[in-house]
Amino acid sequence: MSTPTDGNRDPVTASRDWVLGIDVGGTFTDVIGVNLATREVRDSKVLSTPQQEDGVLASIAAIDVAPDEVLEIVHGHTVGINALLSRTGGPTGLLATRGHRDLLDIGRQHREFGDRFYDPTWLRPHQERPVVARKNRIGVAERTKYDGSEFLTLDEDAVRRAARGFAARGITSVAICFMNSYVNGDHEQRAAEIVAEELPDAYVQTSALYPVTKEHERTVTVALDAYVGPLVVGYLERLENRLLAQGFTGTLWIMMMNGGVATLRTAGRAPVFQLVSGPVGGVSGSVKLAEEASVPNLLTIDVGGTSTDVAAIVGGNTPLTDLWTLETGLTLTMPLVEVESIGSGAGSLIQPNALGAIGVGPASAGSNPGPACYRRGGDRATLTDACAAMGILQPDLFAGGALRLDVDAAIAALTRAGEQWGMSAHAVADAAYEIACQDIAAKVRSISVYRGLDVREFALQPSGSAGPMLADRVGRILGLDRVIVPKNVGQFSALGLLRSDLMTTRAQSVMMPLDAANAERFESEFRTMQDRCRKELADQGIDVSRLRFDRAIFAMYGGQTWDSRIAVADSVFDAEAAANFGKRFHAFNEESFGFSAPELPVIVSTLEVTAVIPRDHGVATSKHEDGDALLRRIQLRVPGTDGPVEAAVYSRERLAPGQSVDGPCLVVEDFATTLVLPGRTAHLDPMSNLIIESKS
């Protein structure tokens, strides 16, 4: 129990019983707090701030919890991804093996299909806006062979000259990635020591960050980490210091892209794996929801102020990918939660697309100045303005009444936008709403239908404050019959942060055949990584009594150049386990690619271990208020109608379990509004999720 800083405060209220999930988005910073002693839940939203720690502290104040009452904070931020998307990272240099400094530009010569697919002037994003300028990519003489033996001694003088050149050009961050260093990192380590001697204040990162095969992806991972590292580490330090200054003595956890949280110390070693930590928290919450609601297949749409994040949960499992692409040619290599984004959110500007027709996004009004209806200086029409003009967002019920929307300002902005197309304000609003829903549905198809999933076997699950106002229409476009709007939907990602386990992932590439003779070597590597994880966690004061390890192997057929990640079922990898894995590998290929080749040798490229400590703080309870759930009747513009229709507005907090309401209607809660379309009905299930289905 901490000592109160205010002598007038009741010591009981100063006990550290609160756990907080805080998710920073492009427009809002969401917070949800759960009191472990009383199970009280408090949630809120505040506008995000340029210095994100300001918004974090404001969010804590918004739920009237003092920092010295907080046991844990689980935090997802956007410092790294903002720097990458806007190219505002620090000046960065790259040391590569001589002859390989252009890996960042060459990539794998992939080209994203789209309206510029046949454009001969097209350049990869990294060529148009380099993360590391070519003049700051230096090749040095050195070479390690495939088996880890030294072929060419590291030219230490060349490294020193390069470091001095970096210093002269104001480089403050250096990435080092040499050929085959995943099997022997001695050259990288020595180069890092030399750079540190010449640039003692520089941020230096080597591929020891994640020592695996795939030279391009490994180089990208190290370069991106060096680019965002100083900003992310600086942010985490500022946040920690600000919290400590206000009396916080608990634990600050950081959400990582592998689907788990990490300590501040661990997170500071791998800033690049925090790029989209907030959306990953939402997926963690959805996986828990799939288990609790017995709905194993979910398509999720997390609609924020600037973008929408989508994911496909199949069989209740966290969707993972070992290749996460930020932009064409910039791909990370590490098992990460697979979340894809589209620049269409509630704050997205309504503006001409490439063909001059109405488009929604990707540019956003953000939190400052924000949509026109916020009355904070914004005068350009956004999707939020469209929803306000349609009646979907009720002015006095928005954000729990904390911010009253100005519908007249929204209509004025829509009128100005419509002049270029000769359309009225309401026609622009209707079109923008439909376009946003169609764009989101198309993105959902890209992770479902286009990958062979039958969407009829899935329910749609929205999150974020704007998700529920679009979800029923998106579901109808996709042909889904069921939409599940979870409780605490406006802060669902923040709640997902609270429900995420501690996870630390290690990997080591070996490039050896899968056979009984090598099984002992694989088991030794697994155990070495497990011991490292256990020691690092214990050294940070973490209770490892409930620690478990999940193992996986990346493997491919001899002659192939790309591997696949498959979980290892056996707790000890011996000759029998190797034989079992071989059978599973062939079955995986048959199911995934339509062929298998048992006659070919199986090559193990990488071994992976993830240390997991469960830390779910449980489900936040839903608020319930007495009184009539029907608040009012309104005129509402809904898709598929020629004009306004009469609709009811209900309070979600006043709906009784099992009570059904028919569309068209709105179901309003503190930080979200759900639109239920005509021909649809909605009710609360036993877990207080709002279920939208077709009328029987």
Side-chain angles (χ1 to χ4, degrees), residues 241-327:
N241 290 335
R242 293 279 298 276
L243 288 168
L244 289 173
Q246 293 199 9
F248 174 69
T249 58
T251 302
L252 177 60
W253 303 99
I254 304 300
M255 190 72 198
M256 307 295 282
M257 289 174 63
N258 65 351
V261 302
T263 63
L264 200 64
R265 191 170 112 190
T266 299
R269 294 188 190 129
V272 73
F273 297 136
Q274 303 166 45
L275 289 181
V276 288
S277 54
V280 167
V283 174
S284 295
S286 296
V287 170
K288 301 287 188 182
L289 174 65
E291 175 185 351
E292 293 163 352
S294 299
V295 184
N297 298 332
L298 290 174
L299 296 172
T300 69
I301 58 169
D302 182 356
V303 186
T306 57
S307 64
T308 295
D309 305 302
V310 302
I313 295 170
V314 181
N317 297 313
T318 301
L320 293 174
T321 177
D322 59 308
L323 295 173
W324 182 83
T325 300
L326 172 71
E327 299 168 346

Side-chain angles (χ1 to χ4, degrees), residues 473-527:
R473 178 57 186 155
V474 172
R476 292 284 282 270
I477 294 170
L478 292 168
L480 304 180
D481 187 55
R482 195 178 193 202
V483 175
I484 302 176
V485 184
K487 54 190 172 183
N488 307 108
V489 64
Q491 288 81 14
F492 191 75
S493 289
L495 178 60
L497 298 176
L498 284 182
R499 308 201 65 193
S500 299
D501 298 331
L502 183 149
M503 297 172 66
T504 299
T505 300
R506 296 285 179 186
Q508 179 65 57
S509 289
V510 291
M511 297 302 293
M512 299 174 69
L514 176 73
D515 54 34
N518 288 325
E520 184 177 345
R521 162 73 186 278
F522 297 159
E523 176 63 21
S524 176
E525 291 285 357
F526 276 133
R527 290 193 175 277

Side-chain angles (χ1 to χ4, degrees), residues 291-594:
E291 175 185 351
E292 293 163 352
S294 299
V295 184
N297 298 332
L298 290 174
L299 296 172
T300 69
I301 58 169
D302 182 356
V303 186
T306 57
S307 64
T308 295
D309 305 302
V310 302
I313 295 170
V314 181
N317 297 313
T318 301
L320 293 174
T321 177
D322 59 308
L323 295 173
W324 182 83
T325 300
L326 172 71
E327 299 168 346
T328 301
L330 292 181
T331 300
L332 300 181
T333 175
M334 179 184 183
L336 307 171
V337 174
E338 188 169 18
V339 180
E340 297 193 11
S341 302
I342 181 174
S344 186
S348 294
L349 296 174
I350 301 172
Q351 58 187 3
N353 61 17
L355 300 177
I358 295 180
V360 180
S364 171
S367 60
N368 187 20
C373 60
Y374 281 11
R375 297 188 298 184
R376 292 174 54 86
D379 60 359
R380 299 181 65 184
T382 68
L383 181 59
T384 295
D385 295 306
C387 291
M390 295 170 71
I392 296 173
L393 294 177
Q394 293 290 289
D396 59 327
L397 301 178
F398 183 77
L403 175 64
R404 186 180 181 89
L405 300 182
D406 187 337
V407 178
D408 290 338
I411 291 176
L414 291 163
T415 300
R416 288 191 296 272
E419 291 174 353
Q420 59 195 308
W421 299 295
M423 299 171 64
S424 69
H426 285 110
V428 172
D430 294 349
Y433 181 89
E434 180 67 13
I435 288 167
C437 291
Q438 292 283 354
D439 287 346
I440 293 170
K443 192 63 178 180
V444 173
R445 287 193 194 99
S446 73
I447 63 163
S448 57
V449 177
Y450 300 164
R451 299 183 183 180
L453 300 179
D454 185 348
V455 295
R456 294 172 297 182
E457 299 175 355
F458 287 75
L460 185 69
Q461 183 246 298
S463 60
S465 290
M469 70 183 186
L470 307 174
D472 203 12
R473 178 57 186 155
V474 172
R476 292 284 282 270
I477 294 170
L478 292 168
L480 304 180
D481 187 55
R482 195 178 193 202
V483 175
I484 302 176
V485 184
K487 54 190 172 183
N488 307 108
V489 64
Q491 288 81 14
F492 191 75
S493 289
L495 178 60
L497 298 176
L498 284 182
R499 308 201 65 193
S500 299
D501 298 331
L502 183 149
M503 297 172 66
T504 299
T505 300
R506 296 285 179 186
Q508 179 65 57
S509 289
V510 291
M511 297 302 293
M512 299 174 69
L514 176 73
D515 54 34
N518 288 325
E520 184 177 345
R521 162 73 186 278
F522 297 159
E523 176 63 21
S524 176
E525 291 285 357
F526 276 133
R527 290 193 175 277
T528 297
M529 289 187 286
Q530 289 177 188
D531 290 344
R532 285 181 60 194
C533 289
R534 182 183 289 106
K535 184 178 186 303
E536 288 182 5
L537 293 172
D539 287 348
Q540 296 178 68
I542 295 173
D543 180 5
V544 296
S545 60
R546 296 189 297 154
L547 178 65
R548 78 166 196 268
F549 292 102
D550 296 336
R551 295 177 170 185
I553 286 178
F554 292 76
M556 58 189 173
Y557 286 118
Q560 287 186 317
T561 59
W562 215 257
D563 52 18
S564 297
R565 179 184 183 274
I566 301 174
V568 175
D570 303 271
S571 58
V572 176
F573 203 83
D574 52 17
E576 182 180 356
N580 291 337
F581 184 85
K583 294 175 183 176
R584 294 183 60 225
F585 177 76
H586 298 312
F588 171 87
N589 277 270
E590 191 70 45
E591 179 180 351
S592 301
F593 308 117

Side-chain angles (χ1 to χ4, degrees), residues 20-50:
L20 310 183
I22 303 176
D23 173 32
V24 178
T27 303
F28 287 103
T29 294
D30 297 341
V31 59
I32 188 165
V34 179
N35 188 301
L36 299 181
T38 66
R39 306 310 298 175
E40 179 187 359
V41 177
R42 299 180 189 175
D43 57 5
S44 189
K45 284 178 178 288
V46 299
L47 291 170
S48 294
T49 54

